[in-house]
Amino acid sequence: MLLAYFREMEDTIFTKIVKGEIPCAKVYEDEKTFAFLDISPVNKGHTLVIPKKQVEKFHELDDEDAEALMRTVQKVAQAVAESFGPDYNIINNNGASADQIVPHVHFHIIPRKDKSEINLEWSTTKYEEGEQDKVLEKLKANLS
Ligand code: AMP
């Protein structure tokens, strides 16, 4: 139990980057956010945008950090489009089943040249009769 507590408090690799303990190719920094080149880019210019505050998942950010983060995502997307061409993906993974490896919120901004670079195919499902209404009700009840 105690061990689990200390594990939670450990700095992620991205926090170590923000603190300057691990080197990075910094693209941008402001009071609440930080952006740097991904070390294993899909394409040259693949950039990660993170909140300085160590939070694992996007929905766990407070309003101010979320707003600052989205502003920086847009700022970097503009620079990526200007530098490498108008096509790019913005990808944010949350949790193991969503392919998140580093447990610190991050948005990938990935310049794209060709469809073969990333496989974004996904399987789809269908709503049963009446199910969509229940799903909608549940989602709306949880909107804050
Ligand atoms: P994800 O699968 O969404 O958690 O992606 C984590 C990303 O972090 C991967 O694209 C890694 O290449 C990237 N990454 C991991 N360590 C570093 C590092 N030290 N500097 C830059 N990017 C990193």
Side-chain angles (χ1 to χ4, degrees):
M1 186 71 180
L2 196 59
L3 190 62
Y5 174 78
F6 281 112
R7 269 208 195 105
E8 270 177 30
M9 301 310 289
E10 266 175 26
D11 284 351
T12 63
I13 189 162
F14 290 170
T15 294
K16 289 178 182 164
I17 285 174
V18 170
K19 288 181 174 175
E21 295 169 3
I22 289 179
C24 76
K26 184 165 81 174
V27 173
Y28 175 79
E29 177 177 13
D30 61 24
E31 190 198 338
K32 289 183 170 294
T33 68
F34 197 94
F36 54 102
L37 295 181
D38 195 296
I39 204 165
S40 304
V42 173
N43 272 322
K44 313 289 163 61
H46 177 167
T47 302
L48 299 175
V49 180
I50 66 171
K52 285 186 173 174
K53 193 185 288 174
Q54 183 170 307
V55 172
E56 185 169 348
K57 293 182 180 172
F58 182 65
H59 72 275
E60 295 165 348
L61 288 168
D62 64 36
D63 291 356
E64 280 189 7
D65 285 320
E67 281 165 22
L69 185 62
M70 296 323 291
R71 180 67 194 94
T72 302
V73 166
Q74 192 207 24
K75 189 187 279 289
V76 172
Q78 285 168 340
V80 163
E82 197 63 42
S83 306
F84 307 110
D87 295 359
Y88 58 90
N89 288 106
I90 297 178
I91 298 174
N92 164 240
N93 302 321
N94 295 277
S97 54
D99 286 333
Q100 182 179 16
I101 294 170
V102 178
H104 187 138
V105 178
H106 54 282
F107 281 75
H108 297 256
I109 303 179
I110 308 173
R112 295 296 302 276
K113 302 288 177 203
D114 192 278
K115 276 176 179 274
S116 65
E117 294 155 349
I118 298 178
N119 181 1
L120 280 179
E121 279 179 25
W122 53 69
S123 59
T124 60
T125 186
K126 289 203 181 330
Y127 290 110
E128 303 294 332
E129 185 71 31
E131 198 181 11
Q132 184 172 281
D133 288 342
K134 286 186 192 141
V135 168
L136 208 51
E137 208 175 300
K138 188 173 185 177
L139 266 178
K140 287 180 172 176
N142 284 305
L143 278 180
S144 55

